[in-house]
Amino acid sequence: MSPNNKHNLPLNSADIKILLIGILSMIAGFFIMTLDKEPFGFGFLGLTLGPIFVLLGVFIPIFSLFNKRKND
């Protein structure tokens, strides 16, 4: 691969940033679930808020990978 083929990479810097945001959102969701003080995590943090962050962490990278740009 020559230096001129730099634009043929599958992910650009914006896509990589969005992927990292998704990964950090998943990590934050799992951490939020551990903060629940109810037995077995059956409180608001363990059953509602944490899983929402984890799902966002899954859907944000999927959206970024399949999002078609007008200039591509």
Side-chain angles (χ1 to χ4, degrees), residues 24-59:
L24 289 175
S25 175
M26 283 193 283
I27 292 170
F30 285 119
F31 180 71
I32 288 171
M33 284 191 267
T34 63
L35 295 177
D36 200 358
K37 301 297 183 202
E38 295 292 322
F40 303 108
F42 287 142
F44 173 74
L45 295 176
L47 290 178
T48 306
L49 191 62
I52 288 172
F53 271 87
V54 172
L55 283 176
L56 283 175
V58 171
F59 288 128

Side-chain angles (χ1 to χ4, degrees), residues 12 15 64 66-72:
N12 59 19
D15 290 335
S64 74
F66 292 113
N67 188 18
K68 294 286 184 183
R69 290 186 175 76
K70 293 180 182 178
N71 59 2
D72 283 348

